[in-house]
Amino acid sequence: MNGAKLRAKDELVKDDTHKMIKEECAILDKVQEHLGRTGTTSVGSSDYDEELIELRDAIAEARPEDIPPLVEQMTRLQAIAAQRGRGEEIPVNPDSPYFGHLQLKENAQTRDILLGKHTYLAPDEEIRIVDWRNAPVSRMYYCYDEGDDYEEEFGGMVRRGEITARRSVTILEKRLRRIACFDKTLVLKKGEWVKLEGTGPRLSGGQGVAVRAEGLKPVRGLLGVDADGVERVDKHLPEISALLDKEQFEMISSRGSGLMVIQGGAGSGKTTVGLHRIAYLSYQRKKRFRSRNMIVLVFNEALASYVKGVLPALGVHGVRVMTFARWASQLRYRHVRGLPTRYSEWTPSVVSRLKKHPALLRILDDIVDQQDEELTNQLYKTVAGTDDEDRVREAWQTLSRLPLDARRKRMQRWMNGEAQIGRDRGERLHTRTDMALESALGRMGEITEDLISDWADFFTDKRALRRAFEVHAPAEFTDGEIDTVHAWCVKAYAGLDGDADEPAVIDQEDDAILLRLYQLKRGWLRGQGGRLEYDHLMIDEAQDFTALETAVMMDTVGYKRPVTLAGDTAQRIINEGGFDNWDMLLDDLGIQNAEIEMLKIAYRSTIEIMQVAREVLGPLAGEGALATRHGAEVEVHRFSDPGQAVDFISSALRMLANAEPFANVAVIARHLQQAKMYHRGLVKAEVPKVELVTDQDFSFSSGVEVTDIRQVKGLEFDYVILVDVNADSYPKTDESRHLLHVAITRAAHQLWMITTDNPSPLIPPRLLGD
């Protein structure tokens, strides 16, 4: 079947390469022949007991090299029988049964281990497919390179040998389409195997990454072709699980508790590593990490849509994926009743900046601490002189670590003899003490349950605002800015009482503030069935969330459950949040000894694109991820008018559509109005499959999508054209540097920048040709 595909160009495929192709085709033919003959599409039969007995007998008679996969198979079947009951089958897809090949040599004997999404073993025919999440055999694929010696423990035995082959393969519709190893990548094109430029499999983590055929040089002004009009060769991307390197696999399989911070440049695989960690934890410890009790919170809807598609492909179903804004608004509706559901569209930037400032974490703590102190004094004063004053004081102090309202409710239950505090159940309180305590707790409840007054009173009290920020963020806000915030809040909150002419609205930033007040005063947030307590939380693009928002999210995670933060300081697009670096964020959150893992290789973009991205960042660049793949030079095309630019772009896009109908292209503007103008022009020019994206509703398929920078965060495209990269759109500011850097690093293969006025001062002068 696959042997018919061995025709190759002599100048492209040498003898050693031809041998590798023959080996891979032979293995695939053997697997396909076996699956076709047996009709087997699952790992086991419905009778698990019989299968386990057969495996036990097979282990007793097996050769030493076959024992480890048989032990793995037995362990897996035991888990299935125990957790899922009889009759459950795990499919092996015959169209694409595996994605990785590991060849081990021990004592002059070799054996082949194949990596797939599920385990399938037929040791008599030397077919061993193991689940990529299964340690220890599959772990070797990620932790060793071809030519490495290994020493590992399998089934209680220490085994030593050599990795003689480590290859990533792409199998589509039962045909071998792509082979990649440490020094070469081969793709099948029109019946011939072609060698590509590059150094083998690496993690990409997104859509449509292109690798150019060796020696092809694109002509300036053309997208995706060389001087002879040769289209891209590599159309079949490898299974993403095959591309994890040793460093990434170690992050994924790390201990399942505590906070892990994954820092990496654009295209380094942060999101992919985080999602694979979810898949790994869910598979290894199903009872502890239930997929329906894990959540991924992201910055925008487009990234949420992408993540929702990736997790099922990793064998994980039911994990919630939401934007923080949607998650927080739903929880605020549930926990804080009586406030508007509409948000202001005209919130002044200084108001957003103040409400997002990290100092608010400490300010809210102060507000609740002050209430605690005042209510404690009132309680002590009320019960002073009663017969059980000391018992009440001791019980209240014992509960000091509980949130204020939870503390009050526990005292009420104690007073009624329904709860024990320390060794005291609160029984036989003196009548006078009981009456005094009941009165004090009743008055206290009016304050501890009220969140809206705390929120509104603080932001409408100019003196309190100024004093709080002078203490916790001195010199961050001028008196004039405090006046602006105060005036805005007074006007907005007046509408809550019906005193305004227009319907009441609140600021989007208020959701996190109100939820944090709830956590501080009343305790855990509530889910559909009670306490909201996740087994695992992943926050993607964490650099664009505030410390306050991050604290709200992290406080929904169960005790000793893991949290994964993935982000990149260089890709920050929300400047109001106060995020400068991980150390400052962790300090704001009061977290010590967190694991900060660095991803140092940028797999998405080419060396040429990443070089421009770093130059744009300038003094903000820091230690960036290193790209390893060459590609087309970044081009700047200068025009005097957007109409002229549209004519040029539309011509290039029509040519690309003919040459590469499956390519995906992003035309990215700084502002949405600019994007709309270019979209109208491209439609008039009859560019095929062109869409305007205004609400993050990307298709993740071939075609041209026109949008603005804030919507493409976390995404990638084969080709990117940045329009109106002019001085007025991208002045020499830190915000512009971050935004342009994000836009540039969306490109996997080729990048153009278009100017229609004075070029942005952030464009490297060498690209302007002046």
Side-chain angles (χ1 to χ4, degrees):
M1 179 196 309
N2 285 281
K5 295 294 183 180
L6 290 180
R7 298 188 308 275
K9 295 180 178 178
D10 291 339
E11 69 272 20
L12 291 178
V13 180
K14 306 300 181 183
D15 289 343
D16 60 333
T17 303
H18 191 268
K19 179 182 177 183
M20 181 172 69
I21 295 171
K22 281 189 67 175
E23 289 176 353
E24 294 302 331
C25 287
I27 291 172
L28 179 56
D29 285 345
K30 180 170 62 175
V31 171
Q32 295 291 2
E33 191 277 333
H34 171 81
L35 293 178
R37 173 166 41 83
T38 61
T40 303
T41 58
S42 67
V43 69
S45 67
S46 59
D47 192 340
Y48 292 107
D49 291 338
E50 182 179 345
E51 186 81 354
L52 287 167
I53 292 172
E54 291 177 359
L55 279 170
R56 183 197 63 190
D57 294 340
I59 289 172
E61 301 173 359
R63 294 175 298 175
E65 61 267 27
D66 289 330
I67 291 176
L70 290 171
V71 170
E72 289 179 9
Q73 173 74 334
M74 175 175 281
T75 301
R76 184 169 176 78
L77 281 175
Q78 287 172 332
I80 294 170
Q83 297 177 17
R84 298 187 178 181
R86 298 176 181 271
E88 180 74 5
E89 294 188 343
I90 299 177
V92 171
N93 181 2
D95 289 342
S96 182
Y98 57 91
F99 57 76
H101 172 206
L102 194 67
Q103 189 177 79
L104 311 180
K105 183 177 181 180
E106 296 180 13
N107 301 322
Q109 292 186 325
T110 62
R111 60 185 172 125
D112 296 295
I113 304 294
L114 307 175
L115 269 76
K117 294 182 179 179
H118 301 292
T119 295
Y120 182 87
L121 298 175
D124 290 344
E125 301 188 40
E126 297 187 345
I127 295 174
R128 308 174 186 89
I129 304 174
V130 298
D131 192 308
W132 72 271
R133 298 162 294 188
N134 241 351
V137 173
S138 61
R139 175 182 172 275
M140 295 177 66
Y141 178 87
Y142 298 107
C143 297
Y144 291 92
D145 291 323
E146 187 170 314
D148 286 351
D149 294 328
Y150 66 85
E151 180 176 323
E152 294 284 338
E153 182 176 328
F154 298 130
M157 299 175 59
V158 176
R159 309 297 293 271
R160 299 175 180 85
E162 179 188 356
I163 307 293
T164 52
R166 182 194 181 279
R167 301 165 188 165
S168 163
V169 296
T170 299
I171 302 167
L172 298 174
E173 298 176 346
K174 302 182 180 180
R175 293 181 180 271
L176 185 64
R177 304 297 184 114
R178 189 180 195 272
I179 307 170
C181 62
F182 75 100
D183 64 347
K184 62 178 69 74
T185 298
L186 305 169
V187 296
L188 189 66
K189 181 175 176 61
K190 296 180 181 179
E192 296 181 337
W193 285 97
V194 180
K195 182 179 178 181
L196 300 185
E197 182 181 23
T199 57
R202 284 295 184 266
L203 176 65
S204 169
Q207 301 294 312
V209 178
V211 180
R212 297 196 65 83
E214 192 170 17
L216 297 186
K217 300 295 182 183
V219 173
R220 179 173 174 82
L222 291 180
L223 284 173
V225 296
D226 74 334
D228 299 322
V230 179
E231 64 175 299
R232 282 187 306 158
V233 176
D234 195 2
K235 295 291 187 180
H236 304 294
L237 298 178
E239 171 74 30
I240 201 169
S241 300
L243 304 182
L244 301 170
D245 59 28
K246 178 180 179 180
E247 181 183 39
Q248 293 159 341
F249 185 76
E250 287 176 350
M251 294 182 197
I252 288 165
S253 57
S254 68
R255 59 189 176 87
S257 63
L259 172 65
M260 175 183 287
V261 176
I262 303 174
Q263 158 68 31
S268 59
K270 300 178 297 297
T271 300
T272 303
V273 169
L275 297 181
H276 275 73
R277 189 181 188 210
I278 291 174
Y280 189 88
L281 293 174
S282 175
Y283 176 82
Q284 293 289 334
R285 306 173 73 179
K286 287 184 174 65
K287 291 184 177 180
R288 180 176 174 85
F289 299 107
R290 299 158 292 176
S291 60
R292 295 191 178 278
N293 207 39
M294 295 193 283
I295 190 167
V296 181
L297 293 173
V298 301
F299 179 72
N300 58 27
E301 292 288 355
L303 186 55
S305 297
Y306 170 69
V307 170
K308 287 176 183 176
V310 171
L311 283 171
L314 296 177
V316 182
H317 301 272
V319 174
R320 297 185 68 190
V321 182
M322 301 179 69
T323 64
F324 172 79
R326 184 183 297 274
W327 178 81
S329 64
Q330 290 180 0
L331 288 174
R332 196 261 299 171
Y333 299 159
R334 184 184 305 159
H335 291 81
V336 187
R337 302 295 178 87
L339 289 177
T341 58
R342 295 178 61 248
Y343 298 99
S344 171
E345 298 179 1
W346 309 105
T347 306
S349 61
V350 67
V351 176
S352 294
R353 182 162 66 91
L354 184 141
K355 289 187 174 182
K356 286 176 172 287
H357 199 280
L360 264 179
L361 261 178
R362 298 184 292 276
I363 290 171
L364 295 182
D365 284 340
D366 287 351
I367 290 173
V368 176
D369 287 346
Q370 184 178 350
Q371 283 187 1
D372 192 328
E373 183 178 349
E374 291 174 353
L375 292 175
T376 294
N377 290 334
Q378 291 176 16
L379 176 67
Y380 289 170
K381 184 177 181 180
T382 301
V383 299
T386 64
D387 292 347
D388 297 302
E389 175 185 356
D390 291 341
R391 288 178 67 190
V392 171
R393 281 176 170 267
E394 183 178 353
W396 183 254
Q397 290 171 358
T398 301
L399 301 177
S400 61
R401 293 188 177 183
L402 288 181
L404 190 53
D405 193 58
R407 194 177 179 188
R408 175 189 67 86
K409 290 178 178 178
R410 184 70 176 270
M411 281 294 290
Q412 286 182 320
R413 294 180 60 223
W414 175 78
M415 179 184 66
N416 296 329
E418 299 170 355
Q420 183 169 312
I421 301 176
R423 296 182 178 181
D424 191 345
R425 288 197 63 87
E427 298 169 329
R428 295 185 298 277
L429 286 174
H430 191 276
T431 302
R432 182 163 167 255
T433 306
D434 190 81
M435 293 176 61
L437 182 57
E438 183 175 9
S439 174
L441 294 177
R443 293 193 303 271
M444 189 183 295
E446 298 175 4
I447 297 173
T448 59
E449 293 183 351
D450 187 359
L451 309 174
I452 296 177
S453 293
D454 297 333
W455 163 72
D457 289 350
F458 174 72
F459 286 106
T460 56
D461 186 335
K462 189 186 301 185
R463 291 182 61 189
L465 265 174
R466 182 172 288 114
R467 184 169 57 250
F469 279 93
E470 283 176 351
V471 171
H472 293 292
E476 290 283 327
F477 297 92
T478 66
D479 287 345
E481 289 174 328
I482 293 292
D483 291 343
T484 299
V485 173
H486 173 258
W488 170 264
C489 292
V490 168
K491 180 180 178 181
Y493 300 162
L496 301 178
D497 298 325
D499 295 338
D501 296 332
E502 298 181 2
V505 295
I506 66 171
D507 299 321
Q508 187 86 53
E509 296 80 9
D510 288 325
D511 282 345
I513 296 170
L514 288 161
L515 290 174
R516 188 60 182 166
L517 278 170
Y518 188 100
Q519 290 173 326
L520 293 174
K521 293 185 67 173
R522 304 186 64 177
W524 283 80
L525 299 174
R526 303 189 311 276
Q528 297 293 343
R531 180 169 168 170
L532 183 64
E533 187 175 20
Y534 296 116
D535 292 338
H536 179 254
L537 163 70
M538 174 182 168
I539 304 175
D540 201 10
E541 303 295 347
Q543 73 279 355
D544 283 321
F545 294 108
T546 69
L548 179 61
E549 292 166 343
T550 304
V552 171
M553 291 185 273
M554 290 182 62
D555 275 5
T556 61
V557 180
Y559 179 65
K560 287 191 175 181
R561 294 298 197 264
V563 175
T564 304
L565 304 184
D568 175 25
T569 55
Q571 295 187 68
R572 186 176 77 239
I573 65 172
I574 301 298
N575 293 311
E576 298 91 350
F579 180 100
D580 289 319
N581 56 61
W582 293 112
D583 289 338
M584 290 184 64
L585 174 65
L586 297 175
D587 184 60
D588 289 330
L589 295 171
I591 296 174
Q592 298 178 344
N593 302 321
E595 298 179 57
I596 302 180
E597 304 287 354
M598 304 294 291
L599 296 176
K600 299 177 181 179
I601 306 297
Y603 300 120
R604 174 195 301 148
S605 301
T606 63
I607 292 171
E608 290 77 8
I609 291 171
M610 292 304 296
Q611 175 61 30
V612 172
R614 287 186 59 79
E615 291 178 70
V616 164
L617 280 177
L620 306 179
E623 183 181 354
L626 177 67
T628 61
R629 175 173 59 92
H630 278 287
E633 293 293 338
V634 175
E635 299 177 20
V636 175
H637 298 282
R638 301 175 66 174
F639 302 96
S640 59
D641 181 84
Q644 186 183 22
V646 167
D647 178 54
F648 173 77
I649 296 169
S650 60
S651 176
L653 289 174
R654 287 194 299 268
M655 292 176 63
L656 180 67
N658 290 327
E660 297 187 39
F662 297 108
N664 64 328
V665 185
V667 177
I668 305 174
R670 168 69 178 85
H671 303 290
L672 187 56
Q673 285 304 116
Q674 294 169 319
K676 290 179 178 179
M677 178 186 67
Y678 276 89
H679 174 258
R680 288 193 297 268
L682 296 177
V683 169
K684 289 180 180 178
E686 298 185 350
V687 173
K689 298 174 69 174
V690 60
E691 298 290 341
L692 176 67
V693 177
T694 61
D695 194 25
Q696 301 175 13
D697 49 344
F698 291 91
S699 65
F700 301 107
S701 61
S702 60
V704 180
E705 294 179 297
V706 188
T707 189
D708 63 291
I709 288 177
R710 292 182 183 272
Q711 299 199 63
V712 298
K713 191 70 184 296
L715 307 181
E716 66 179 72
F717 305 85
D718 289 340
Y719 304 101
V720 168
I721 302 174
L722 306 183
V723 295
D724 285 357
V725 189
N726 304 330
D728 55 352
S729 293
Y730 299 96
K732 201 170 186 177
T733 63
D734 288 355
E735 179 183 18
S736 293
R737 289 185 187 276
H738 284 300
L739 289 171
L740 190 54
H741 172 82
V742 167
I744 288 170
T745 53
R746 299 312 94 196
H749 174 53
Q750 196 170 357
L751 170 71
W752 285 359
M753 289 192 276
I754 306 295
T755 71
T756 56
D757 202 337
N758 293 326
S760 167
L762 302 180
I763 298 176
R766 63 183 177 83
L767 298 180
L768 296 174
D770 293 340

mmCIF file of all heavy atoms in Angstrom, residues 31 50 97 163 215 243 259 261 310 378 433 457 482 494 521 617 626 643:
data_model
loop_
_atom_site.group_PDB
_atom_site.id
_atom_site.type_symbol
_atom_site.label_atom_id
_atom_site.label_comp_id
_atom_site.label_asym_id
_atom_site.label_seq_id
_atom_site.Cartn_x
_atom_site.Cartn_y
_atom_site.Cartn_z
ATOM 1 N N VAL A 31 0.987 -2.770 10.250
ATOM 2 C CA VAL A 31 -0.098 -2.379 11.157
ATOM 3 C C VAL A 31 -1.437 -2.391 10.424
ATOM 4 O O VAL A 31 -2.436 -2.932 10.923
ATOM 5 C CB VAL A 31 0.190 -0.987 11.761
ATOM 6 C CG1 VAL A 31 -1.030 -0.481 12.529
ATOM 7 C CG2 VAL A 31 1.403 -1.042 12.674
ATOM 8 N N GLU A 50 -11.056 -12.149 31.151
ATOM 9 C CA GLU A 50 -10.407 -13.101 30.264
ATOM 10 C C GLU A 50 -9.171 -12.480 29.620
ATOM 11 O O GLU A 50 -8.136 -13.123 29.498
ATOM 12 C CB GLU A 50 -11.393 -13.554 29.191
ATOM 13 C CG GLU A 50 -10.810 -14.591 28.228
ATOM 14 C CD GLU A 50 -11.826 -15.028 27.200
ATOM 15 O OE1 GLU A 50 -13.031 -14.759 27.398
ATOM 16 O OE2 GLU A 50 -11.431 -15.628 26.195
ATOM 17 N N PRO A 97 -3.263 5.445 12.893
ATOM 18 C CA PRO A 97 -3.144 4.669 14.133
ATOM 19 C C PRO A 97 -2.063 5.156 15.091
ATOM 20 O O PRO A 97 -2.121 4.857 16.272
ATOM 21 C CB PRO A 97 -2.823 3.253 13.633
ATOM 22 C CG PRO A 97 -2.187 3.471 12.297
ATOM 23 C CD PRO A 97 -2.839 4.684 11.708
ATOM 24 N N ILE A 163 18.845 4.463 21.598
ATOM 25 C CA ILE A 163 17.751 4.905 20.748
ATOM 26 C C ILE A 163 18.290 4.947 19.318
ATOM 27 O O ILE A 163 19.064 5.841 18.956
ATOM 28 C CB ILE A 163 17.232 6.300 21.151
ATOM 29 C CG1 ILE A 163 16.875 6.348 22.635
ATOM 30 C CG2 ILE A 163 16.052 6.703 20.276
ATOM 31 C CD1 ILE A 163 15.710 5.501 23.019
ATOM 32 N N GLY A 215 15.986 25.270 -0.427
ATOM 33 C CA GLY A 215 16.506 26.075 -1.509
ATOM 34 C C GLY A 215 15.524 27.032 -2.142
ATOM 35 O O GLY A 215 15.902 27.824 -3.002
ATOM 36 N N LEU A 243 5.283 16.402 18.776
ATOM 37 C CA LEU A 243 6.257 17.478 18.656
ATOM 38 C C LEU A 243 6.772 18.006 19.983
ATOM 39 O O LEU A 243 7.572 18.934 20.016
ATOM 40 C CB LEU A 243 5.636 18.629 17.864
ATOM 41 C CG LEU A 243 5.112 18.260 16.480
ATOM 42 C CD1 LEU A 243 4.575 19.480 15.781
ATOM 43 C CD2 LEU A 243 6.199 17.598 15.661
ATOM 44 N N LEU A 259 1.577 25.862 42.017
ATOM 45 C CA LEU A 259 1.503 26.788 40.892
ATOM 46 C C LEU A 259 2.676 26.576 39.952
ATOM 47 O O LEU A 259 3.831 26.514 40.383
ATOM 48 C CB LEU A 259 1.522 28.231 41.407
ATOM 49 C CG LEU A 259 1.631 29.327 40.351
ATOM 50 C CD1 LEU A 259 0.395 29.355 39.466
ATOM 51 C CD2 LEU A 259 1.844 30.691 41.012
ATOM 52 N N VAL A 261 4.274 28.365 36.484
ATOM 53 C CA VAL A 261 4.253 29.477 35.544
ATOM 54 C C VAL A 261 5.048 29.069 34.317
ATOM 55 O O VAL A 261 6.215 28.699 34.417
ATOM 56 C CB VAL A 261 4.852 30.751 36.171
ATOM 57 C CG1 VAL A 261 4.910 31.876 35.132
ATOM 58 C CG2 VAL A 261 4.035 31.195 37.377
ATOM 59 N N VAL A 310 -8.798 21.939 20.539
ATOM 60 C CA VAL A 310 -7.576 21.179 20.801
ATOM 61 C C VAL A 310 -7.799 20.095 21.849
ATOM 62 O O VAL A 310 -7.340 18.961 21.688
ATOM 63 C CB VAL A 310 -6.443 22.124 21.257
ATOM 64 C CG1 VAL A 310 -5.232 21.325 21.739
ATOM 65 C CG2 VAL A 310 -6.035 23.052 20.118
ATOM 66 N N GLN A 378 -17.336 45.577 68.405
ATOM 67 C CA GLN A 378 -18.757 45.696 68.754
ATOM 68 C C GLN A 378 -19.274 44.422 69.410
ATOM 69 O O GLN A 378 -20.060 44.459 70.364
ATOM 70 C CB GLN A 378 -19.574 46.012 67.508
ATOM 71 C CG GLN A 378 -19.333 47.395 66.928
ATOM 72 C CD GLN A 378 -20.099 47.630 65.642
ATOM 73 O OE1 GLN A 378 -21.034 46.887 65.323
ATOM 74 N NE2 GLN A 378 -19.703 48.660 64.897
ATOM 75 N N THR A 433 -26.231 36.120 77.846
ATOM 76 C CA THR A 433 -25.184 36.025 76.816
ATOM 77 C C THR A 433 -25.799 35.656 75.477
ATOM 78 O O THR A 433 -25.452 36.229 74.433
ATOM 79 C CB THR A 433 -24.156 34.957 77.205
ATOM 80 O OG1 THR A 433 -23.659 35.215 78.514
ATOM 81 C CG2 THR A 433 -23.005 34.932 76.210
ATOM 82 N N ASP A 457 -19.369 52.678 48.233
ATOM 83 C CA ASP A 457 -18.899 53.681 49.200
ATOM 84 C C ASP A 457 -17.439 54.037 48.964
ATOM 85 O O ASP A 457 -17.056 55.207 49.063
ATOM 86 C CB ASP A 457 -19.081 53.160 50.635
ATOM 87 C CG ASP A 457 -20.545 53.111 51.045
ATOM 88 O OD1 ASP A 457 -21.384 53.656 50.306
ATOM 89 O OD2 ASP A 457 -20.836 52.495 52.089
ATOM 90 N N ILE A 482 -7.535 61.179 40.300
ATOM 91 C CA ILE A 482 -8.448 60.720 41.354
ATOM 92 C C ILE A 482 -9.784 61.447 41.235
ATOM 93 O O ILE A 482 -10.859 60.841 41.385
ATOM 94 C CB ILE A 482 -7.840 60.944 42.754
ATOM 95 C CG1 ILE A 482 -6.617 60.034 42.958
ATOM 96 C CG2 ILE A 482 -8.870 60.698 43.843
ATOM 97 C CD1 ILE A 482 -6.934 58.564 43.038
ATOM 98 N N ALA A 494 -24.955 56.713 40.809
ATOM 99 C CA ALA A 494 -26.240 57.392 40.995
ATOM 100 C C ALA A 494 -27.319 56.700 40.172
ATOM 101 O O ALA A 494 -28.487 56.626 40.575
ATOM 102 C CB ALA A 494 -26.124 58.858 40.597
ATOM 103 N N LYS A 521 -15.145 38.411 52.190
ATOM 104 C CA LYS A 521 -16.144 38.572 53.248
ATOM 105 C C LYS A 521 -16.998 37.320 53.469
ATOM 106 O O LYS A 521 -17.367 37.014 54.603
ATOM 107 C CB LYS A 521 -17.072 39.746 52.919
ATOM 108 C CG LYS A 521 -16.378 41.104 52.960
ATOM 109 C CD LYS A 521 -17.361 42.250 52.755
ATOM 110 C CE LYS A 521 -18.332 42.381 53.897
ATOM 111 N NZ LYS A 521 -19.184 43.596 53.775
ATOM 112 N N LEU A 617 10.475 45.461 19.635
ATOM 113 C CA LEU A 617 10.399 45.597 21.096
ATOM 114 C C LEU A 617 11.488 46.520 21.635
ATOM 115 O O LEU A 617 11.293 47.203 22.643
ATOM 116 C CB LEU A 617 10.518 44.230 21.769
ATOM 117 C CG LEU A 617 9.265 43.366 21.820
ATOM 118 C CD1 LEU A 617 9.588 42.025 22.460
ATOM 119 C CD2 LEU A 617 8.143 44.057 22.582
ATOM 120 N N LEU A 626 14.222 31.706 21.027
ATOM 121 C CA LEU A 626 15.103 31.575 19.873
ATOM 122 C C LEU A 626 14.411 30.783 18.778
ATOM 123 O O LEU A 626 13.980 29.650 18.983
ATOM 124 C CB LEU A 626 16.394 30.861 20.282
ATOM 125 C CG LEU A 626 17.410 30.572 19.172
ATOM 126 C CD1 LEU A 626 17.982 31.875 18.643
ATOM 127 C CD2 LEU A 626 18.512 29.668 19.698
ATOM 128 N N GLY A 643 -5.881 53.094 -0.893
ATOM 129 C CA GLY A 643 -6.436 52.504 -2.106
ATOM 130 C C GLY A 643 -5.369 51.822 -2.932
ATOM 131 O O GLY A 643 -5.579 50.735 -3.489
#
